[in-house]
Every structure is written in structure tokens, then in C-alpha cells.
Amino acid sequence: MPRIALLTQHGKAQALQPLADRLGLELVLATGKNTDDLGTFTRERERVGSQLEAALTKARWACELTGARYGLGSEGSFGPDPHLGMVPWGVEIVAWWDAERGHAVHGVAQGGATNFRHRSVDSEAALRAFAEEAGFPLHGLVIGRPQEPWFDKDAADWAGLFERAAPAWATGELWVETDMRAHRNPTRMRMIEAAGWALAERLAVVCPACQAPGFGPVRSLPGARCEGCGLPTPAARAEVLACGACAHALQRPLRETVSPARCAYCNP
Ligand SMILES: [Zn+2]
Ligand SMILES: [Zn+2]
């Protein structure tokens, strides 16, 4: 069975095994490079490059380290939702690399199903409330910031958490955030699995020109016309489907017109 390699320090094989099974590939773990060099959620290292670049770098490294033809890399990002900025939002990318063809494809999952949050708390009671909301101890917590003496990611139970937090109370407050590393965050693990499924669906469509897997939408084209005034709007009128292995691309129309609610002239 051909191999697909995964470079992870955070137990992501659990989330990506179903993808490997569906592709008919043997999942092997790559070791020998520290993925934290590409950035950590707790900012000891800032991420260099985009989320997609980080996922793809991990997939390429996995091939280099194992000699496998195929590699997988996963990278998450978390912040406020892109619509109103009111709720926590997660975006997971799983990248696939074919080292023989030099060809990349990726899948994305995103949504509000994340426990991502952070806060300053000033008492054990406030810490307990935050931790309960975050799903601790099933989900990990990070207390303190990297430069603080009580900075810690390893509390596994309530007693351990309160013991580690205790020195901070003398200063009046404690910074606390959810641990977004996959092995400490089962909610995130499920979203990585979903990104793996999105990738599998993408890989199932082959390029009509060169038969490489992963033919699909790469961007949308704005300019659907307003039903009220007829002017073009920022809403998508078509999407571009393209192949990552050859130059083949085509446009698929989505809609000619949209509601005046989407029009900058009718609904400024
Ligand atoms: Zn209009
Ligand atoms: Zn192609």
C-alpha cells in the first residue's frame, strides 16, 4: 500500500487516519522536525507566512523525512468570527503534497465549534468558571504568558491547575487561555477531521486536462448585478475552478443577479 506521511507533535494521526483510509493509503508518522518552529499558539514563536503555507510546509517536510510520495500537514487558526466578530471561530486547513508531481491540494473546515477564548481572571473562582466553560480538564488550558514564571500548559486536573495558578494571585491577576494544541483540544481534533474530509472530497475530483486529483474552486469572481439598479456588486457571479498540477482552469457561473440588499448603491 502506498504511504502518506504526517508530521505532527500533537497526536493529529487520530483525526487524519479516516482520510488516509479513504484514500487507500497507509498513514505513517514523520519525526525529526519541530513543527513549533513554524509558530505556536502561545506566541513563543510567531507563525511565519500564511496558515496555508504552514500546513503545506509540514506536508512537504513529512515527505522529505520519510521518503513517502504523499504528505499531510495541518494548521489551525482561531479568532473572532469573520461575519460580526462576536463569537470565537476556528479555521482548519489540511494540506496534501504529492512529492513526485510537485502538486498541492488542501481542504478547509471552519465554524464556531471551538472553545477558543482567553481572559484575565483575578480569583480561583473566576479561573474555575473560565475552565468549566472551556471544557477543562478534557480540554487543556494555558495559564500565564510566556515571560511569566507561572506560564504553564500542563495542568491535567483541578488540583494541578489551582496549584500552578496560586503564585499569580499575589500580582492580582492571571492570564488564562484555552490550549489549542490538537492533543489537548478534542473539539479542535474534530474540526481537523472535518478538514480532512473536505480534502478527500476535493481529491476525488480529477482535472479534465491532466487527470491530477484536486480539481476544484480556487476563487470567486465578483460582479453579480443588482436586481434593483443593475449595477455590478461585490457578490460573486462565478467561481474559477482550477488544477494545481497543470494550468487548466474554467469558470462556473453562480448567479447573474443578487438582491439590492447586497448593492452598495441601493443599500449603502
Ligand atoms: Zn442597486
Ligand atoms: Zn491538470
Side-chain angles (χ1 to χ4, degrees):
M1 193 188 282
R3 296 180 303 154
I4 188 162
L6 172 67
L7 176 64
T8 176
Q9 268 128 258
H10 301 143
K12 290 173 183 171
Q14 168 194 341
L16 295 172
Q17 183 67 54
L19 168 66
D21 292 345
R22 176 155 161 191
L23 297 174
L25 299 170
E26 181 196 352
L27 187 68
V28 293
L29 293 180
T31 52
K33 273 205 198 265
N34 187 351
T35 54
D36 285 349
D37 288 348
L38 295 172
T40 64
F41 291 120
T42 35
R43 294 166 301 278
E44 295 98 316
R45 297 285 181 93
E46 292 292 342
R47 189 172 67 212
V48 182
S50 71
Q51 182 182 3
L52 176 56
E53 284 162 358
L56 193 51
T57 299
K58 290 175 187 174
R60 285 190 165 120
W61 281 355
C63 291
E64 284 168 20
L65 291 165
T66 58
R69 174 173 176 179
Y70 303 107
L72 284 178
S74 143
E75 181 78 6
S77 74
F78 306 92
D81 74 88
H83 312 296
L84 296 171
M86 304 285 282
V87 297
W89 195 259
V91 179
E92 294 292 345
I93 294 180
V94 176
W96 174 92
W97 175 245
D98 177 347
E100 200 172 298
R101 248 178 166 143
H103 171 38
V105 180
H106 70 277
V108 181
Q110 59 180 312
T114 172
N115 72 340
F116 172 74
R117 47 179 64 90
H118 43 72
R119 193 175 299 158
S120 213
V121 294
D122 58 7
S123 68
E124 208 169 273
L127 174 59
R128 177 184 287 279
F130 180 93
E132 280 174 353
E133 203 186 329
F136 182 82
L138 191 60
H139 291 72
L141 289 181
V142 180
I143 59 167
R145 295 182 168 98
Q147 66 277 13
E148 292 170 333
W150 47 84
F151 176 61
D152 184 275
K153 306 179 179 183
D154 295 325
D157 55 36
W158 290 101
L161 179 65
F162 292 143
E163 186 185 323
R164 287 167 161 86
W169 305 130
T171 72
E173 64 167 36
L174 172 72
W175 179 257
V176 57
E177 58 189 55
T178 46
D179 190 344
M180 300 316 291
R181 294 174 300 165
H183 64 302
R184 299 282 283 141
N185 198 312
T187 302
R188 182 175 172 220
M189 202 65 100
R190 284 192 289 277
M191 200 179 279
I192 295 171
E193 186 172 343
W197 286 121
L199 172 61
E201 272 168 30
R202 181 119 193 172
L203 288 169
V205 182
V206 301
C207 171
C210 78
Q211 274 69 53
F215 189 75
V218 291
R219 65 196 159 88
S220 56
L221 298 174
R225 289 186 182 274
C226 169
E227 283 159 9
C229 70
L231 288 172
T233 71
R237 66 178 163 80
E239 60 184 355
V240 177
L241 312 182
C243 173
C246 76
H248 185 65
L250 57 85
Q251 279 187 32
R252 178 159 68 192
L254 295 172
R255 51 173 112 72
E256 291 296 321
T257 61
V258 289
S259 145
R262 309 278 301 271
C263 173
Y265 179 73
C266 298
N267 187 26

